Amino acid sequence: MPMYCFDLNTPFKLRIDEIQKDEFVYFKLPEALDDGLDSYVKTIIDSLTKQTSRLFFSINDTSKYLNLAEIEEEFPIAWFGVPVEVGSNQKGVHSEHSIYSNIDSLSLIIFEAQKLRFKNQKKIIPEFIITDNYYQLAPTIVEFFNRFKLPFAFITIEGVPDPKRVNIFHEIFESLRIKGFKEKIYFSFNNPNLDEWNIKTHNSFSGLQTVHIDLSNKCTHSCVFCGIWGPEFIDDMKSRSNGILSEETVNFMNRQMPHQRALEILESLPDTIQTVQFGGSGDPLTHPNWLDIISRWRSRGLIVEVLTNFEYPNHLDLEVLHQLSKGRKNFSFLINLSAATAETYKAIRPRQSNATFEKVISNIRYSSNLRKQDGHGISITIINIINSQNFREAVKMIELAHELGVGVWLKPLEVHSSIHQKYTIAEEDYPLFLSIMSQALQRADELKVNLVFREFLKTIIEDHQASDETKFEKSQLDFGSILNGQVPGVLYQTIPCTVAFTYVRFEVNGSVKPCCISPFQMGNINDANLDEIWHSHRYYAWREKFLKIQTTRFHLKDNEYGFCQICPHIPINLEASKLLSIKRD
């Protein structure tokens, strides 16, 4: 689930100490609580509001509780959810093209009456319940948002997403889209099938789960395989511009997202967000405000992933990160090391020194020791981009990860240019490469090191040992086409692409992209707010197009969409495909 949800009508495990300070918490009262809010409920509310500033208190029937004003006065509850029935008062009309009906005016009157029981009426949020006529829901939702300026609202759903109700809500959301609605509508957070409900109904009003943010294009490292900061790539760019880097290129390399913009993006997102990944063209930790930005995002209770070379933090920074690691959501750093020794580190990074390697190792060791000491801490995985310069150290990479107490990823180099091709494994080194990879896999098993995509590495070894082929297939170089040891290069062709419903990437210049490798942008947050971009015709057209990718195969016919062949979102799409394939009666 994307947020904490405490429903006293069902069993749950209460771990209030794991809640982050700005995490959205959905708390629902029991349906039968005749004596009002007893001391037990008050104790929970007290504990929750001390832990988070974003408590949503869902009440089944406000008429049963005489002391709501007292509760509102005593506890800093962010929002109160009240039930609002829609569809029992007027008959609607079903058009062939959209859902249309009159507004359920009685629901507005009832909501107004419930609001009078509270001191701060801006805190009151409707939880819509569909009764007889679901055609009234869409126009009623629009009227509620227009009249009361709601930050969001809920639609109460129970049970599994059966085909009939899925179709109903799909039509409702389509009707809202046609009406130009751009607000946040959530399905009940206490429904265990929430993700399935969202993806099956194409709920773009609250289905966003993963965000990728490029904080900085800057980097002080010089990895030979980096398409921006690699020395040979820089020389290549100079050769195209009279021996110097063009002004446009220099500006791009030095661009960073404004501090306030990174925080504004956070505030603009729905509470269905589960994961944020900081990465991109440069190192996010080169941003002057990186620690505050990451801290603020972490405080929302998100899974946080950071792609970095890990040189820039000092020990005080690492201690702050360590404190932020508390909680049930993972806080992980994926560290590009690509070496097991200082000598190889310098070969991979011609502009770095022994001191840089030693500092990175020191930072990893310090963080790992904090984790061993306290039983919690940031999760670290060393990424080793396997290429001609470092593959001989693969076993040492495993042993170094074991020594440091971290995970490791032996990730084959992705080939996107002739310069990349230069660093692939030479044909005459294939037998040695396969032998060393086999030894590395065995050593990881012996030392019980967490080897990311272990089955992927195993499959590559087995494929080449059993084949007379002397070259790697492209699909075996691109991890995105691999999942759980399966290496079908056509996997991305066999399932719909739903990424544009659940994922968005923000580049440092404000560009909003529906896919991390797409050259196309949906808009720019410097020109329009996220809601306008997310619900634009351009974005909807993209979603419709890519939902049919496995049947239309347009990406195989149009070179503009060739990036699909190295899709890094296969895991997201595969999970969505599994939910879509669940058959319900």
Side-chain angles (χ1 to χ4, degrees), residues 225 307 334-339 381-388 390-391 394 397-398 408-416 420 423 425 433 437 440 451-454 456-457 460 472 474 476-482 566-568:
F225 43 74
L307 305 176
L334 306 177
I335 300 169
N336 177 15
L337 194 64
S338 297
T381 297
I382 295 172
I383 300 179
N384 293 293
I385 309 296
I386 300 300
N387 58 78
S388 61
N390 65 8
F391 78 91
M397 292 171 180
I398 299 293
V408 64
W409 183 2
L410 302 182
K411 181 182 184 301
L413 173 69
E414 295 181 18
V415 179
H416 301 294
H420 283 121
Y423 292 99
I425 311 301
F433 168 80
M437 291 300 111
L451 183 58
V452 177
F453 286 98
R454 178 191 182 281
F456 171 31
L457 182 62
I460 288 179
F472 286 111
K474 186 174 185 180
Q476 293 172 319
L477 288 169
D478 294 318
F479 84 94
S481 298
I482 317 300
I566 52 173
C567 176

Side-chain angles (χ1 to χ4, degrees), residues 219-223 229 231 309 311-312 342-343 345-357 360:
C219 186
T220 61
H221 284 218
S222 55
C223 301
W229 293 97
N309 59 47
E311 176 195 356
Y312 312 110
E343 291 71 27
Y345 194 82
K346 289 188 295 182
I348 295 292
R349 297 166 168 83
R351 296 173 184 164
Q352 272 61 55
S353 64
N354 286 7
T356 307
F357 178 75
V360 172

Side-chain angles (χ1 to χ4, degrees), residues 507-555:
E507 294 186 318
V508 290
N509 66 347
S511 294
V512 177
K513 291 190 172 181
C515 162
C516 72
I517 58 174
S518 165
F520 305 107
Q521 68 177 53
M522 298 293 106
N524 191 295
I525 52 174
N526 295 316
D527 304 323
N529 64 47
L530 178 60
D531 288 337
E532 291 173 339
I533 297 170
W534 183 255
H535 295 289
S536 66
H537 292 301
R538 183 178 177 84
Y539 228 129
Y540 277 109
W542 179 284
R543 293 183 184 112
E544 289 300 312
K545 183 181 184 73
F546 277 77
L547 277 174
K548 303 170 184 175
I549 191 170
Q550 81 276 25
T551 54
T552 60
R553 296 179 178 267
F554 62 85
H555 56 298

Side-chain angles (χ1 to χ4, degrees), residues 465-485:
Q465 287 176 339
S467 173
D468 293 331
E469 294 291 330
T470 58
K471 294 183 179 180
F472 286 111
E473 295 295 329
K474 186 174 185 180
S475 65
Q476 293 172 319
L477 288 169
D478 294 318
F479 84 94
S481 298
I482 317 300
L483 194 67
N484 297 328

Side-chain angles (χ1 to χ4, degrees), residues 105-285:
S105 56
L106 183 58
S107 67
L108 291 161
I109 297 171
I110 292 173
F111 183 63
E112 289 274 20
Q114 294 192 83
K115 288 176 64 179
L116 293 175
R117 302 198 58 198
F118 297 88
K119 182 177 180 180
N120 187 347
Q121 296 186 13
K122 292 182 179 179
K123 289 185 175 183
I124 316 308
I125 305 296
E127 296 190 82
F128 296 110
I129 302 170
I130 298 183
T131 52
D132 297 331
N133 178 15
Y134 65 86
Y135 296 121
Q136 288 184 281
L137 183 60
T140 302
I141 285 176
V142 173
E143 181 63 21
F144 263 79
F145 274 88
N146 288 338
R147 183 176 298 194
F148 302 114
K149 310 304 178 186
L150 303 171
F152 57 86
F154 279 91
I155 296 177
T156 300
I157 50 168
E158 297 178 353
V160 299
D162 55 275
K164 179 179 178 180
R165 288 192 295 164
V166 163
N167 184 59
I168 288 173
F169 283 113
H170 184 276
E171 287 188 333
I172 288 171
F173 293 142
E174 180 65 12
S175 175
L176 288 172
R177 184 186 74 77
I178 292 172
K179 292 175 183 292
F181 185 77
K182 296 181 175 65
E183 306 296 341
K184 298 177 179 66
I185 290 287
Y186 304 139
F187 280 131
S188 305
F189 282 176
N190 60 333
N191 187 293
N193 303 292
L194 177 62
D195 289 343
E196 187 182 345
W197 272 106
N198 278 326
I199 199 67
K200 283 189 172 180
T201 59
H202 297 172
N203 182 10
S204 59
F205 297 101
S206 72
L208 187 58
Q209 297 180 358
T210 303
V211 171
H212 182 112
I213 295 186
D214 298 355
L215 288 182
S216 175
N217 287 344
K218 290 186 176 182
C219 186
T220 61
H221 284 218
S222 55
C223 301
V224 294
F225 43 74
C226 177
I228 296 177
W229 293 97
E232 290 168 288
F233 286 91
I234 290 177
D235 290 342
D236 182 60
M237 287 187 285
K238 286 181 177 179
S239 69
R240 303 177 192 179
S241 184
N242 299 320
I244 61 172
L245 291 174
S246 68
E247 182 179 357
E248 181 182 3
T249 300
V250 172
N251 288 338
F252 175 83
M253 295 172 75
N254 287 285
R255 188 173 290 150
Q256 295 182 315
M257 180 175 287
H259 181 197
Q260 188 59 34
R261 179 67 72 202
L263 302 183
E264 289 171 353
I265 290 172
L266 172 63
E267 294 306 314
S268 71
L269 297 172
D271 289 292
T272 47
I273 290 295
Q274 300 182 29
T275 302
V276 59
Q277 184 179 80
F278 295 100
S281 300
D283 193 303
L285 304 194

Side-chain angles (χ1 to χ4, degrees), residues 295-418:
S295 298
R296 293 283 290 275
W297 280 75
R298 178 64 178 173
S299 74
R300 284 282 292 268
L302 304 178
I303 296 170
V304 175
E305 299 174 351
V306 184
L307 305 176
T308 176
N309 59 47
F310 214 49
E311 176 195 356
Y312 312 110
N314 57 41
H315 283 189
L316 290 177
D317 295 333
L318 297 177
E319 289 169 6
V320 173
L321 296 174
H322 176 70
Q323 291 302 313
L324 292 170
S325 70
K326 291 181 180 178
R328 75 198 193 284
K329 299 288 186 69
N330 197 30
F331 188 17
S332 60
F333 279 70
L334 306 177
I335 300 169
N336 177 15
L337 194 64
S338 297
T341 63
E343 291 71 27
T344 301
Y345 194 82
K346 289 188 295 182
I348 295 292
R349 297 166 168 83
R351 296 173 184 164
Q352 272 61 55
S353 64
N354 286 7
T356 307
F357 178 75
E358 290 165 2
K359 183 180 182 184
V360 172
I361 295 299
S362 172
N363 280 343
I364 295 173
R365 183 175 282 113
Y366 190 77
S367 298
S368 184
N369 287 340
L370 287 175
R371 187 182 185 93
K372 292 176 183 176
Q373 169 187 302
D374 295 340
H376 71 85
I378 61 175
S379 173
I380 293 178
T381 297
I382 295 172
I383 300 179
N384 293 293
I385 309 296
I386 300 300
N387 58 78
S388 61
Q389 305 296 298
N390 65 8
F391 78 91
R392 292 173 178 81
E393 284 192 356
V395 176
K396 288 184 179 180
M397 292 171 180
I398 299 293
E399 293 172 343
L400 178 60
H402 176 258
E403 176 199 339
L404 296 173
V406 299
V408 64
W409 183 2
L410 302 182
K411 181 182 184 301
L413 173 69
E414 295 181 18
V415 179
H416 301 294
S417 71
S418 59

